[in-house]
Amino acid sequence: MNSLLKRQLKKCGIDKDAIENPNEKYGMLISLVSESYDAFEEDVKLLERSIDISTREYSEQMEQIKSLQASLVHNEKMASMGQLSAGIAHEINNPLGFIKSNIESLAKYVERIEGFHKIIKNLLENDGGFEEETLLVELKDYSQKNKINNIYDDLPELIKETFEGIERISKIVKSLLSFSRKIDATELEDYDFNKGISDTLIIA
């Protein structure tokens, strides 16, 4: 006899012996009800297995969808990056251009300063006499001819511009890395909204 049916019969006050040894009058009825209970429980088990399988399949499909969605978003970003690459190359090329120009100017300035320093060194090592006066004239002529004063005036601005160019390139590269970073769609993390807008504006 079905265990659930037994419990229900006991709750109804039916004697234990009557339940376990039903008379002919009620035996067939109890047997039919018991079979119905057994069939019902089997249906419930089948339904539970079906729900379990469906839940697993649903979870797997959701994971696949999330993975596909993340890939699609990443691919969209990469496609956008391809379209932006020409403009970005131009934006990076501008500061690179004046950084290169500044470094070339700095190299020329170093050569002139080295020549100026050589004359000063000779002057300092001289013991005196006519040669010292000659060196002073040579020093003055060299300074005027090579615009040494202008070089010293120009150096701070040249260095400042070079650092600004490097900073511009650094900002563009960092913004690109932030924009193109692939993330898990289910991943939760803190996000700097202002930086996101700033990075987008830099790229735009």
Side-chain angles (χ1 to χ4, degrees):
M1 184 183 295
N2 185 276
S3 57
L4 178 59
L5 178 58
K6 277 185 180 181
R7 288 197 299 273
Q8 290 177 336
L9 289 173
K10 285 178 182 178
K11 285 180 181 179
C12 293
I14 298 174
D15 185 70
K16 183 180 178 182
D17 291 334
I19 293 171
E20 293 180 358
N21 302 298
N23 57 34
E24 190 177 340
K25 184 179 179 181
Y26 298 108
M28 187 174 291
L29 176 61
I30 290 173
S31 178
L32 289 171
V33 172
S34 180
E35 288 175 7
S36 298
Y37 271 74
D38 289 339
F40 174 75
E41 285 185 352
E42 189 62 32
D43 288 343
V44 168
K45 288 178 183 176
L46 288 171
L47 182 60
E48 286 175 348
R49 283 200 295 269
S50 177
I51 290 171
D52 184 51
I53 292 168
S54 297
T55 303
R56 283 202 305 270
E57 288 177 350
Y58 173 78
S59 297
E60 290 171 1
Q61 288 174 356
M62 285 302 296
E63 287 300 319
Q64 290 174 359
I65 289 169
K66 287 173 184 176
S67 176
L68 180 60
Q69 185 181 29
S71 296
L72 287 172
V73 170
H74 186 68
N75 290 341
E76 285 279 333
K77 285 183 178 181
M78 291 301 100
S80 299
M81 293 295 289
Q83 293 171 1
L84 290 168
S85 60
I88 290 165
H90 178 72
E91 285 300 314
I92 290 176
N93 195 48
N94 279 343
L96 271 178
F98 68 74
I99 288 171
K100 182 175 180 289
S101 175
N102 286 351
I103 295 297
E104 288 171 352
S105 297
L106 185 60
K108 292 176 183 176
Y109 289 169
V110 168
E111 286 180 10
R112 293 179 187 179
I113 291 170
E114 282 178 344
F116 188 67
H117 177 71
K118 186 176 180 181
I119 297 170
I120 293 173
K121 185 179 177 183
N122 290 336
L123 183 61
L124 291 172
E125 290 175 352
N126 184 45
D127 293 331
F130 176 77
E131 190 179 347
E132 184 175 335
E133 187 177 335
T134 304
L135 287 170
L136 284 170
V137 171
E138 185 182 345
L139 187 64
K140 185 177 180 181
D141 288 344
Y142 186 92
S143 177
Q144 289 175 346
K145 182 180 178 181
N146 291 279
K147 300 178 181 178
I148 298 299
N149 288 336
N150 291 345
I151 288 174
Y152 285 123
D153 290 339
D154 191 38
L155 276 174
E157 188 63 27
L158 183 145
I159 292 169
K160 181 185 173 185
E161 283 183 0
T162 302
F163 277 119
E164 285 175 355
I166 293 169
E167 183 63 22
R168 277 178 61 184
I169 293 170
S170 176
K171 280 183 178 179
I172 292 169
V173 171
K174 285 178 181 177
S175 298
L176 289 172
L177 289 172
S178 175
F179 180 75
S180 61
R181 187 169 68 96
K182 188 174 182 180
I183 60 169
D184 185 354
T186 61
E187 181 183 335
L188 292 177
E189 59 180 32
D190 292 333
Y191 181 72
D192 188 339
F193 194 70
N194 290 327
K195 186 177 182 303
I197 293 173
S198 176
D199 289 343
T200 304
L201 289 174
I202 288 169
I203 295 170

